Amino acid sequence: MSASSSVAAGRGAPRQASGALWQALPFLGIFAAALILPMVSNDYWTLIATRAAIYWVLVSALNLVVGFAGQLAIGWVAMLTLGAYTTSVLVAGNVMPPVPVFPALGVAALVGGVFGFIVGLPALRLRTFYFAMTTLGFATIVTQVALAWQGVTGGGIGIVGPVLPAPFDTIFGFYLFCLGLAAFCTWISANAAHSRFGRSLVAIRDAEVAAESSGISKPRLLGAVFLFAGAMAGIAGGLFATLQSYISPEAFTFDLSVLFFIAILIGGRGSILGPFIATIVLTWLPEFAAPLVAWSTFLYAALLLAIVLLVPGGIAALLDFRSRRRIEADRTIVPRPELLPEILGGRKASEAITLKDIVLSFGGVRAVDGLDLTIEPGAVHGLIGPNGSGKTTTLNVICGFYRPETGSVTVDGEPLPAAAPQTRAASGIARTFQTPKLIGEASVLQNVMVGGAIRGRGSFVESLLALPRHRQDEAMLRHDALLALRCVGLGALADVRADRLQHSELRFLEIARALMLRPRFLLLDEPAAGLSAEEIRSLGGLIRAISRQGTGVLLVEHHADLIFEICDQVTVLNLGRELAAGTPAEIRAHPEVVSAYLGS
Ligand code: ADP
Ligand code: MG
């Protein structure tokens, strides 16, 4: 570790710790107030608070699905229903000898988790409302089954809920149990949110192609959070049955599902504090005045409308003072390529990517038409040509977004893994995009950390519980991301929300994110578009320095000066075909290129 980076790490650690404490403060305050609530009020309010705590057990996990991953799982009451019936039926001994409550809750978690996973599967194919409808449909099925399966569930009459053993069998004892669990759930969901998994979920929501190009596997990640959210809802269901002391299908209304969902929307997506406060408010609101109970759906809708219109970011946006802080308007980007060896880990690439006879058409258009191209390690290969000549498509073929109709993409003669962006990223191919694809709501630092997500070693469960490997991953990603940011010249903006950056800064930010992969090959799609002359010079120096580290660079660009200055080889495309290829000097002298493309 160089002297400069250890200084920064040393400065970063205490700030990080105090930041975490600062973030925990509102939660600690609310839980402290919740602890003294039973002493200053009556059983009625304790029961309401118990209800809020149980709802939060479900919402805190569902928040990862809805608020972070952006999946509209609106019918999550189904998992609560499943958990409630599983626990009640097992404890009552309707199908087998009675099971004690805690093991029954464990089975409820299992059932909730399995069904959460199954219901989540369509999310990989269905978008937004279609997926929302499947979750609602499932909720209806569960209620209908509960109604019809009289021998086990008691049908419309219902079934007695379980009672927790002493000391949790009193109103106060049960409240303390639920409160403790709610606090635990807050902690694990915060851990997940501040892990590489939480950041990857947001990346899938806001910049899906960038997430895939960083090697993040959407199916695995979504599978894990759906399972987790289902399991927590199952446990919440068991506790809900205890709270109700008697459950029938009527207890699991559409209103309840809407409450869970809206708590997250009102709270603000990607936040924990927001949905936490919203869950408390929404649980409490209908009780606040008895006549309003019948109006609860209307109240939720009105509240949601008010929030969407007045504060689109929800409660979280109201509480976000940080992003209102002023940032310096007059900024210059000064890259520090000397930091590159530390970021790229001294990996000396020795292989070349070879494209052979690639053909790819969209309908009648041959976007790429028999292209040969080699990206050598340690060299910059320029790819130029008019708009629509197939440059971006070529990049997408190398990254695995498109499978070519004919032809092959090989690294040192070995075919690359099947055309899927995640596997290509994992094999060391990083890229940037013609239109920068970033998470506007996340900080610059978090955006860069997404780029290194797959280098983490801890599992999702280890992140939930903040076990050592999770903490090592976080420290490593944070350290490397700060380093990458300083390397591209954005170190001072690490804590700023990405949507406050200037366009040229976004281009450098994408390069920092790509560097986090420690790429063997870096594909840049028009990185100089929208940059000033001075910024283009900085960019050229940076790209050159990256290639000198052994990384093979493919540079798609319109700025002829930049191309001729830094490229070792240039390929000129026209209508998907190679018009010319050679050194910059040869291209500059090529008669057809000059007349068709470069002019005079
Ligand atoms: P360039 O990056 O050189 O400007 P592209 O590779 O983006 O060009 O596009 C090459 C051709 O392929 C264009 O005619 C474009 O309209 C077409 N094309 C690119 N992507 C798609 C797509 N997803 N669907 C249909 N046509 C596409
Ligand atoms: Mg393009």
Side-chain angles (χ1 to χ4, degrees):
M1 193 190 282
S2 77
S4 57
S5 70
S6 50
V7 168
R11 237 190 293 125
R15 196 179 57 189
Q16 209 183 322
S18 74
L21 190 70
W22 182 242
Q23 281 178 359
L25 219 54
F27 294 100
L28 294 175
I30 293 172
F31 277 108
L35 265 180
I36 50 173
L37 178 82
M39 296 160 213
V40 297
S41 71
N42 52 25
D43 284 355
Y44 176 70
W45 287 109
T46 307
L47 283 174
I48 306 284
T50 310
R51 181 181 297 268
I54 294 171
Y55 287 171
W56 177 240
V57 170
L58 182 149
V59 173
S60 63
L62 183 61
N63 189 23
L64 291 178
V65 170
V66 177
F68 282 74
Q71 304 296 322
L72 304 185
I74 194 168
W76 217 245
V77 74
M79 310 309 152
L80 187 87
T81 316
L82 282 171
Y85 274 104
T86 304
T87 320
S88 305
V89 167
L90 287 177
V91 171
N94 282 8
V95 284
M96 53 192 262
V99 177
V101 180
F102 287 118
L105 278 174
V107 179
L110 202 70
V111 171
V114 168
F115 281 96
F117 181 79
I118 293 171
V119 170
L121 285 180
L124 300 177
R125 296 222 159 253
L126 300 178
R127 302 265 152 193
T128 60
F129 291 108
Y130 300 98
F131 175 63
M133 293 322 286
T134 64
T135 64
L136 266 185
F138 182 68
T140 313
I141 293 172
V142 171
T143 317
Q144 291 304 320
V145 170
L147 259 180
W149 202 2
Q150 289 187 359
V152 173
T153 64
I157 299 167
I159 184 173
V160 176
V163 177
L164 262 57
F168 307 120
D169 55 348
T170 62
I171 289 180
F172 182 61
F174 184 58
Y175 173 58
L176 281 190
F177 180 84
C178 293
L179 199 61
L181 188 62
F184 177 71
C185 288
T186 311
W187 181 68
I188 57 174
S189 75
N191 287 339
H194 298 121
S195 74
R196 62 195 182 103
F197 300 101
R199 285 186 295 273
S200 300
L201 288 171
V202 179
I204 286 176
R205 182 191 76 194
D206 286 353
E208 188 172 340
V209 280
E212 288 176 319
S213 305
S214 301
I216 294 164
S217 162
K218 180 176 168 182
R220 286 180 57 176
L221 194 58
L222 285 188
V225 288
F226 274 116
L227 197 145
F228 173 63
M232 296 319 287
I235 294 175
L239 298 175
F240 181 78
T242 306
L243 178 74
Q244 300 283 90
S245 67
Y246 199 86
I247 53 164
S248 66
E250 284 158 31
F252 306 95
T253 57
F254 176 62
D255 283 12
L256 200 51
S257 221
V258 171
L259 183 151
F260 301 148
F261 191 72
I262 287 188
I264 297 169
L265 294 196
I266 292 178
R269 54 182 209 169
S271 156
I272 294 175
L273 183 60
F276 180 63
I277 295 173
T279 303
I280 297 170
V281 171
L282 288 182
T283 313
W284 168 76
L285 205 57
E287 311 292 338
F288 158 68
L292 291 181
V293 173
W295 291 78
S296 61
T297 313
F298 174 77
L299 270 181
Y300 298 157
L303 202 61
L304 181 67
L305 207 63
I307 292 264
V308 168
L309 292 177
L310 299 176
V311 206
I315 297 173
L318 280 179
L319 300 174
D320 183 11
F321 303 108
R322 215 180 188 193
S323 70
R324 270 170 260 160
R325 225 181 272 159
R326 265 176 49 82
I327 51 175
E328 204 181 322
D330 192 18
R331 312 188 287 268
T332 46
I333 303 168
V334 186
R336 292 179 55 196
E338 69 273 16
L339 298 173
L340 276 169
E342 203 183 326
I343 298 169
L344 294 175
R347 168 151 76 171
K348 281 272 175 267
S350 56
E351 315 93 337
I353 287 190
T354 308
L355 275 66
K356 210 153 177 53
D357 202 23
I358 300 288
V359 176
L360 181 70
S361 7
F362 297 107
V365 183
R366 283 213 157 189
V368 180
D369 194 2
L371 180 68
D372 295 333
L373 186 93
T374 302
I375 311 171
E376 298 285 350
V380 182
H381 193 117
L383 187 60
I384 61 174
N387 278 330
S389 58
K391 305 181 295 295
T392 300
T393 307
T394 305
L395 233 97
N396 282 329
V397 167
I398 303 174
C399 290
F401 279 101
Y402 299 142
R403 185 190 294 272
E405 286 147 43
T406 63
S408 62
V409 183
T410 52
V411 174
D412 254 12
E414 294 287 319
L416 278 172
Q422 308 92 283
T423 52
R424 295 280 165 94
S427 69
I429 300 174
R431 73 172 291 182
T432 66
F433 297 88
Q434 191 168 346
T435 334
K437 300 202 186 307
L438 293 150
I439 309 163
E441 290 172 18
S443 75
V444 166
L445 182 71
Q446 287 164 344
N447 268 286
V448 179
M449 287 167 86
V450 165
I454 59 166
R455 284 173 46 214
R457 291 171 52 243
S459 64
F460 181 59
V461 174
E462 285 172 281
S463 279
L464 285 175
L465 300 173
L467 295 180
R469 279 214 295 192
H470 157 81
R471 280 181 269 132
Q472 284 160 17
D473 287 345
E474 285 306 293
M476 177 273 289
L477 288 173
R478 200 182 167 78
H479 171 264
D480 286 9
L482 280 170
L483 204 60
L485 277 173
R486 277 188 289 137
C487 177
V488 301
L490 296 177
L493 298 174
D495 289 331
V496 177
R497 262 171 70 128
D499 55 9
R500 300 180 76 197
L501 261 52
Q502 292 159 4
H503 183 78
S504 55
E505 289 165 337
L506 296 181
R507 298 229 174 257
F508 283 87
L509 178 52
E510 279 211 317
I511 296 178
R513 180 178 64 198
L515 289 176
M516 288 293 284
L517 213 50
R518 297 192 158 171
R520 293 193 288 170
F521 300 98
L522 177 61
L523 319 178
L524 303 168
D525 201 349
E526 305 199 14
L531 267 57
S532 70
E534 191 191 336
E535 287 164 342
I536 292 178
R537 258 194 308 282
S538 302
L539 177 72
L542 183 63
I543 295 174
R544 211 45 260 182
I546 291 171
S547 75
R548 271 198 298 270
Q549 291 301 312
T551 301
V553 179
L554 181 68
L555 173 63
V556 171
E557 214 9 278
H558 275 301
H559 288 83
D561 291 348
L562 179 66
I563 287 280
F564 292 134
E565 195 181 312
I566 68 169
C567 290
D568 299 289
Q569 288 287 317
V570 179
T571 299
V572 187
L573 280 183
N574 194 24
L575 297 173
R577 274 191 215 164
E578 180 186 298
L579 183 66
T583 63
E586 286 163 357
I587 297 298
R588 236 197 287 239
H590 197 286
E592 266 180 89
V593 176
V594 171
S595 67
Y597 186 55
L598 296 174
S600 61

